[in-house]
């Protein structure tokens, strides 16, 4: 039986989970593949992290460089995270002719345009299924199962922390800060939640998905990003009155030679299947011209679900090595020479419907002034909701619009602010009407 040696860099949550699967499921994997996938080394600055694993002597080390340079190791699994040391070690491993598995979406979204061509030039595989969607095989699905489809759109809940927070706010009517604090206390959110709640984590993942879906260079800097901090239980309640649920969605679509790429709070109808995805779960829908719509659903993070995706990449590469077929599937779904620069549609050119909530002065004529400012910029109001709540001299005024241009909406809101009839900035939430047929 052919043996393929593995070296893991990082024995944290996902690293230790990956090691555990390789050790405990070794017979299952060999029965399925005919390959002995052997864990040879694990490197971590804290050698005690491996104390709960049934490791042989000499497997655990603090010297990551020694693992990367070990001539007996064919596959390096980078689970350190970050964009500095991880990049250095991956580059060094590629230069040594080693194949790479990583879950590092921040690194790939920032430096993938360099790392993927480098791996291709050296004839090694760089696999990254665990970087997007945890255990959901979204990358494999687009890259392999949907290879005969032109992808039209992707819509997904790609951050479990935000979905957990919004789900709790919806079910219990709790405020954002309260739910976030509870999520941090229970390990669902980081001590510094910025990457998650401000939308950047989902943007990293969307940039990677766009590349494999549309054959474009990774273009993180042009993805529009907006987080969930300003969403309140009041907005969630108003949304429900109109038949909508609030989710943080990552959305991309091919549009007239460009790609929409945006992450922001979104109102979707209650009958959209994504509206029923709650807690820390993730889900993504992909629209292809042959299959129409495909849904993937599962744990987008967590020790063992993410480790499962890492192991799937390890086994794929091991099979390639045994059959002498590294590079069998292009890392970004397209041959390197076919990948091109596709412009990302500026958010100001987006046309969509909007939910608007103003904290308006309680006086005659306010509604007509706001409606007039919107109308002067070609924005038509579909419905209005005012429940008679009062906050001093102000009351919440909610409007749902017909489709409008984002640039026009910004101009209208600036005009309304200049009228000095509203307190605070309005809450603006975009509405996604198309549920992808699901």
């Amino acid at each position: 039986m052919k043996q393929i040696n593995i070296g893991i860099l990082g024995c944290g949550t996902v690293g230790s989970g990956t090691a555990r699967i390789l050790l405990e499921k070794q017979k299952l994997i060999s029965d399925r593949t005919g390959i002995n996938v052997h864990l040879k080394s694990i490197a971590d600055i804290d050698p005690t992290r491996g104390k709960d694993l049934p490791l042989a002597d000499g497997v655990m080390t603090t010297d990551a460089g020694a693992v990367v340079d070990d001539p007996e190791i064919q596959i390096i699994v980078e689970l350190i995270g970050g964009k500095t040391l991880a990049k250095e070690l991956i580059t060094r491993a590629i230069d040594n002719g080693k194949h790479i598995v990583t879950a590092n979406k921040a690194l790939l979204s920032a430096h993938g345009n360099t790392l993927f061509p480098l791996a291709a030039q050296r004839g090694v595989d760089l696999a990254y299924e665990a970087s997007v969607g945890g255990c959901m095989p979204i990358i494999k699905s687009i890259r392999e199962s949907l290879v005969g489809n032109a992808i039209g759109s992707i819509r997904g809940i790609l951050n479990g922390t935000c979905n957990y927070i919004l789900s709790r706010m919806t079910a219990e009517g709790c405020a954002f800060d309260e739910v976030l604090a509870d999520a941090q206390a229970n390990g669902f959110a980081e001590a510094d939640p910025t990457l998650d709640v401000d939308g950047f984590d989902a943007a990293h993942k969307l940039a990677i998905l766009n590349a494999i879906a549309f054959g474009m260079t990774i273009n993180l800097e042009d993805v529009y990003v907006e987080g969930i901090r300003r969403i309140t239980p009041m907005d969630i309640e108003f949304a429900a009155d109109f038949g909508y649920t609030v989710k943080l969605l990552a959305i991309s679509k091919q549009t007239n030679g460009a790609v929409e790429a945006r992450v922001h709070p979104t109102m979707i109808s209650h009958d959209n299947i994504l509206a029923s995805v709650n807690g820390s779960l993730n889900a993504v829908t992909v629209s292809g011209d042959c299959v129409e719509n495909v849904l993937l659903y599962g744990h987008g993070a967590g020790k063992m679900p993410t480790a499962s995706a890492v192991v799937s990449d390890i086994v794929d590469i091991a099979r390639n090595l045994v059959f002498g077929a590294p590079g069998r599937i292009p890392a970004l779904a397209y041959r390197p020479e076919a990948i091109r620069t596709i412009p990302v549609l500026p958010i100001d050119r987006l046309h969509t419907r909007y939910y608007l909530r103003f904290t308006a002065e309680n006086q005659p004529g306010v509604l007509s002034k706001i409606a007039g400012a919107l109308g002067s910029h070609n924005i038509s109001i579909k419905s209005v909701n005012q429940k008679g709540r009062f906050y001093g001299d102000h009351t919440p005024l909610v409007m749902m619009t017909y489709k409008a241009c984002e640039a026009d909406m910004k101009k209208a809101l600036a005009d309304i602010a200049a009228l000095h009839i509203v307190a605070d900035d309005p809450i603006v939430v975009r509405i996604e009407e198309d549920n992808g047929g699901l």
Side-chain angles (χ1 to χ4, degrees):
M1 183 179 291
K2 178 74 172 179
Q3 178 168 301
I4 301 296
N5 291 323
I6 313 299
I8 297 176
L9 307 180
C11 194
T13 300
V14 178
S16 62
T18 300
R20 187 167 297 282
I21 293 175
L22 291 176
L23 294 166
E24 295 181 354
K25 302 295 180 71
Q26 188 173 33
K27 184 178 185 304
L28 175 65
I29 293 171
S30 64
D31 285 348
R32 286 176 166 170
T33 65
I35 304 168
N36 178 20
V37 179
H38 174 65
L39 177 58
K40 187 172 189 292
S41 297
I42 305 175
D44 197 285
I45 57 173
D46 180 2
T48 66
R49 283 183 170 176
K51 67 180 184 301
D52 295 329
L53 295 169
L55 299 176
D57 291 342
V59 172
M60 199 74 197
T61 178
T62 58
D63 190 348
V67 176
V68 168
D69 294 335
D70 186 338
E72 295 182 355
I73 290 177
Q74 293 105 321
I75 302 174
I76 294 294
V77 182
E78 182 278 307
L79 297 171
I80 297 171
K83 294 184 284 189
T84 305
L85 179 60
K87 182 186 178 186
E88 294 172 2
L89 290 171
I90 286 176
T91 301
R92 180 168 161 184
I94 291 172
D95 287 340
N96 288 340
K98 299 188 187 303
H99 304 268
I100 308 297
V101 175
T102 182
N104 196 333
K105 66 263 184 183
L107 174 66
L108 295 179
S109 62
H111 299 293
N113 291 329
T114 300
L115 292 174
F116 285 117
L118 180 63
Q121 290 165 13
R122 289 289 287 120
V124 300
D125 287 322
L126 199 172
Y128 54 101
E129 183 67 63
S131 68
V132 182
C135 66
M136 294 189 304
I138 180 61
I139 291 171
K140 185 183 291 289
S141 295
I142 294 175
R143 197 170 58 178
E144 299 179 43
S145 299
L146 302 180
V147 67
N149 286 257
I151 304 301
S153 65
I154 298 170
R155 299 172 181 84
I157 297 168
L158 294 178
N159 184 270
T161 299
C162 286
N163 203 45
Y164 172 83
I165 291 171
L166 290 173
S167 297
R168 286 274 310 275
M169 291 175 68
T170 300
E172 303 170 25
C174 303
F176 169 83
D177 289 340
E178 179 184 346
V179 180
L180 173 60
D182 187 55
Q184 290 170 316
N186 288 283
F188 289 107
E190 301 289 342
D192 179 0
T194 301
L195 276 175
D196 292 319
V197 301
D198 290 335
F200 299 114
D201 173 78
H204 293 155
K205 297 169 183 175
L206 186 64
I208 293 169
L209 291 181
N210 286 343
I212 62 173
F214 306 121
M216 63 189 292
T217 52
I218 298 171
N219 201 358
L220 174 63
E221 59 273 17
D222 288 337
V223 176
Y224 176 80
V225 186
E226 184 181 314
I228 65 170
R229 291 182 191 266
R230 297 196 68 215
I231 299 298
T232 71
M234 184 191 304
D235 299 306
I236 291 172
E237 183 181 339
F238 275 122
D241 289 345
F242 287 111
Y244 293 99
T245 301
V246 180
K247 295 290 185 182
L248 182 80
L249 289 192
I251 300 169
S252 62
K253 304 175 186 179
Q254 291 216 64
T255 307
N256 299 323
V259 170
E260 286 184 24
R262 46 194 172 98
V263 173
H264 52 70
T266 309
M267 288 188 181
I268 53 177
S269 64
H270 291 327
D271 62 359
N272 186 317
I273 197 165
L274 295 178
S276 62
V277 177
N278 293 314
S280 61
L281 290 167
N282 284 195
V284 60
T285 61
V286 181
S287 171
D289 61 348
C290 299
V291 298
E292 294 187 359
N293 300 285
V294 172
L295 169 73
L296 292 171
Y297 168 91
H299 290 285
K303 179 176 181 174
M304 299 313 290
T306 306
S308 174
V310 171
V311 171
S312 76
D313 276 342
I314 292 171
V315 170
D316 278 350
I317 293 176
R319 284 173 165 146
N320 287 347
L321 289 172
V322 167
F323 290 98
R328 181 177 61 89
I329 299 171
L332 289 175
Y334 289 72
R335 301 304 306 170
E337 61 271 16
I339 293 174
R340 60 205 189 280
T341 299
I342 301 177
V344 173
L345 190 76
I347 193 67
D348 280 355
R349 290 173 54 192
L350 175 68
H351 283 77
T352 191
R353 291 184 57 216
Y354 295 87
Y355 161 96
L356 306 172
R357 176 169 64 81
F358 301 96
T359 304
E361 289 186 357
N362 183 30
Q363 60 177 270
V366 168
L367 176 58
S368 63
K369 289 177 182 178
I370 292 175
L374 293 170
S376 68
H377 291 283
N378 303 309
I379 300 167
S380 298
I381 299 170
K382 184 175 183 180
S383 56
V384 177
N385 190 331
Q386 187 173 11
K387 288 192 172 181
R389 303 174 184 174
F390 294 96
Y391 303 90
D393 295 328
H394 294 83
T395 184
L397 175 62
V398 171
M399 298 179 175
M400 305 289 275
T401 76
Y402 287 99
K403 272 194 173 182
C405 176
E406 180 95 7
D408 290 339
M409 179 60 70
K410 289 179 178 178
K411 293 173 185 175
L413 294 178
D415 288 352
I416 292 167
L419 295 173
H420 303 295
I421 56 174
V422 297
D424 304 322
D425 292 332
I427 301 297
V428 180
V429 183
R430 297 165 190 86
I431 300 169
E432 188 74 1
E433 295 285 16
D434 183 2
N435 67 7
L438 294 169

